[in-house]
Amino acid sequence: MRLLLTFVGGFGHLAPLLPVARAVQEAGHVVAVAGSGGLVPDIEAAGFTAFSTSRPAHHGRGPDVPRTPLEVADEHAAEVEFARNFGDRGARRMADALPAVIEAFRPDLVLRDEADLGATVAAELAGVPVATHLVLASGLLVRPELVAPCLDAVRADHGLAPDPELTRLTSGLLLSDTQPSFRSPDAPLRLPAVLSYRSAATGRSGTSARDPGRPRVYVTLGTIFTTTSGDLFERLVAGVAALGVEVVVTVGRRNDPADLGPQPATVRVERFVPQEQLLPGVDLVVSHGGSGSLMAALAHGLPSVLVPLGADQPHNARRAAELGVAVTLDAAAVTVEEVSAVAEAALTAADLRRRCEAMADELAAQPDVGVAVAALERAALG
């Protein structure tokens, strides 16, 4: 099987594809990845042939940039921005770029990230079957009323009929490596039912070399929103550090850790550390609520304090609140004292931790990535 994986956006859209890509490659198949130009080095470092579908932008390691004032989008603003960035610009870019990639690589199957809407256009034109990997945890952004008008305009430009119900997006195999119960009931999946599995990147918290008597808190704003975070890092770190806990902060590849200024010995500031290295020794995650960060925390049975900034984060925070697995704060208004109080409460809330551990148990009960490989092999055969 020749499998082409496609994604649009930053590292948070690439990362969920990598475990299944590795498993497919280890099964003896040929794998290539097409996506954002700035992430070509990451794709190649992971051991895959890379096809760039855009000029390198802010997704890569580039020079440091000063942080700009904090930008926060509520659910409605995030939906409008998603439709513009992914339903229109991103879909148009991928629909234009992927035909040449498909011609060069000649895949038997395209596995697209859920937000890559344009891949379905390119694959339909080439007559190649498509599978989808879900990456939006709550599932509320790829909705017909939100993105179909934009996507239909792209389809029309390529001579394809409208698809107002987005049936082309869910007509093939659907894969997910997150907890099935987290997806919002307002975003039910059409048949065929999604195939859930657990990837090598998931797992329960274990022992670490740290002081067992001192909790450790991980603070992150992901990989995209770090440069527009204003003073949010400072408020979050100061609030958590005031508890006397160990703190690990990742500020992003384009932010200088020194910009946070002098920190106590209990605070470690890095640009980027793979989550799978950190989470086994963490007790609490403070994050923006991106799907990758939130679902990785839950895969390890960890509670979260969320400060949603945009994209899928407001929806994820709402769903996490409904399930009782996270506490949400207002990123624009939260004070250092409020961060301290909420983080301390989250570290000691037994009910909160039990609910998070139940989510980890749900994921652990899913079959391993081998079932995804077998399903992709069947899909490639048509």
Side-chain angles (χ1 to χ4, degrees):
M1 173 175 65
R2 296 178 65 82
L3 179 67
L4 176 65
L5 293 92
T6 73
F7 70 96
V8 63
F11 188 76
H13 292 267
L14 168 64
L17 301 175
L18 293 179
V20 71
R22 293 189 188 101
V24 169
Q25 190 174 70
E26 289 168 0
H29 302 295
V30 180
V31 178
V33 183
S36 304
L39 290 173
V40 164
D42 295 84
I43 298 168
E44 293 177 338
F48 304 107
T49 298
F51 291 95
S52 173
T53 60
S54 70
R55 295 179 179 177
H58 63 282
H59 305 306
R61 292 183 174 82
D64 293 341
V65 297
R67 274 181 284 154
T68 58
L70 179 65
E71 298 178 8
V72 179
D74 60 17
E75 286 190 13
H76 174 70
E79 290 178 350
V80 171
E81 185 68 13
F82 181 85
R84 182 164 53 242
N85 283 341
F86 291 88
D88 186 359
R89 289 198 291 258
R92 196 172 299 280
R93 169 164 63 83
M94 296 300 281
D96 289 343
L98 283 177
V101 175
I102 291 174
E103 175 65 24
F105 183 66
R106 297 194 175 279
D108 300 302
L109 178 69
V110 171
L111 175 62
R112 69 178 186 95
D113 118 62
E114 180 182 12
D116 179 6
L117 310 182
T120 60
V121 174
E124 185 175 349
L125 291 169
V128 178
V130 178
T132 298
H133 198 289
L134 303 181
V135 297
L136 303 170
S138 54
L140 289 168
L141 285 176
V142 184
R143 306 198 311 268
E145 70 274 17
L146 184 62
V147 300
C150 298
L151 187 57
D152 277 347
V154 178
R155 291 178 61 82
D157 287 346
H158 290 271
L160 298 176
D163 183 20
E165 296 301 316
L166 303 180
T167 56
R168 298 291 303 186
L169 302 186
T170 55
S171 59
L173 172 66
L174 303 176
L175 298 177
S176 174
D177 63 349
T178 60
Q179 295 84 337
S181 67
F182 191 89
R183 189 176 180 92
S184 171
D186 295 326
L189 291 167
R190 299 181 179 87
L191 294 177
V194 62
L195 174 62
S196 295
Y197 71 97
R198 53 181 169 80
S199 73
T202 61
R204 298 298 299 274
S205 295
T207 58
S208 71
R210 68 181 176 82
D211 179 357
R214 174 178 285 174
R216 176 180 288 174
V217 179
Y218 173 39
V219 179
T220 178
L221 297 179
T223 57
I224 296 298
F225 288 80
T226 57
T227 58
T228 56
S229 58
D231 68 342
L232 183 56
F233 269 123
E234 283 82 354
R235 285 181 280 147
L236 296 177
V237 173
V240 175
L243 300 177
V245 300
E246 291 185 25
V247 185
V248 180
V249 189
T250 53
V251 296
R253 289 167 168 168
R254 301 196 68 192
N255 288 335
D256 186 348
D259 287 347
L260 289 189
Q263 297 293 331
T266 54
V267 177
R268 168 189 167 196
V269 184
E270 302 283 354
R271 292 178 187 266
F272 174 80
V273 180
Q275 289 186 133
E276 60 268 24
Q277 295 181 15
L278 287 177
L279 293 179
V282 163
D283 299 282
L284 175 69
V285 177
V286 179
S287 82
H288 57 315
S291 290
S293 297
L294 177 56
M295 302 313 292
L298 289 176
H300 288 78
L302 298 173
S304 292
V305 174
L306 305 178
V307 284
L309 302 176
D312 58 346
Q313 301 151 32
H315 294 107
N316 291 342
R318 172 156 59 95
R319 183 59 178 154
E322 292 170 354
L323 295 169
V325 296
V327 181
T328 298
L329 298 173
D330 182 345
V334 68
T335 65
V336 172
E337 293 74 20
E338 288 171 328
V339 172
S340 291
V342 171
E344 184 175 33
L347 280 167
T348 57
D351 288 348
L352 174 62
R353 181 167 292 276
R354 277 196 295 271
R355 288 189 290 269
C356 294
E357 289 175 346
M359 295 291 286
D361 289 339
E362 179 187 1
L363 183 59
Q366 303 302 314
D368 67 21
V369 69
V371 303
V373 175
L376 290 167
E377 290 170 339
R378 291 192 298 271
L381 293 174

